[in-house]
Amino acid sequence: MPSHSNNPFGIKATHGQKFVMAPTHEETKGHKRIATMAPFRVFASMDEAFDQHGRLLAQHPAYQLARQNLNNPDAYARALTNHYATDHAYGSLLIAIMKKHSLYKYNQ
């Protein structure tokens, strides 16, 4: 989480939003990781960050395919790949974390 941002999800800032510059890694189309600086959004509180993250996943057009898989956590995770994060293995990494920590039980 960038310092002084209240941004645990790493949401990038868009035009007109308060931000802090912080180091990060992006992945190129050729799957090469490059170090860069990026503007991360600043939230007034963690509550605001969690609310905004929920709205982003629930409403942003980039996550429409993921929302079609609400009852299938693995398909949802795979659908986030190339939209939510630049890492081409994001969905697989998320699935591995869900399995390792038995997170599927929370889908009941």
Side-chain angles (χ1 to χ4, degrees), residues 74-89:
D74 290 351
Y76 186 96
R78 283 190 292 276
L80 290 177
T81 301
N82 298 324
H83 298 288
Y84 185 81
T86 58
D87 187 334
H88 75 282

Side-chain angles (χ1 to χ4, degrees), residues 83-104:
H83 298 288
Y84 185 81
T86 58
D87 187 334
H88 75 282
Y90 182 79
S92 298
L93 294 170
L94 186 56
I95 291 166
I97 291 168
M98 291 188 300
K99 288 179 180 179
K100 179 180 179 181
H101 298 286
S102 301
L103 299 179
Y104 295 94

Side-chain angles (χ1 to χ4, degrees), residues 29-65:
K29 294 205 184 282
H31 305 303
K32 182 179 176 185
R33 279 179 53 116
I34 56 169
T36 187
M37 294 291 287
F40 288 88
R41 192 154 167 207
V42 172
F43 294 98
S45 67
M46 292 293 277
D47 286 345
E48 181 186 10
F50 273 81
D51 287 344
Q52 180 58 37
H53 185 256
R55 275 198 267 348
L56 185 70
L57 291 175
Q59 298 172 356
H60 196 283
Y63 309 117
Q64 182 176 355
L65 179 60

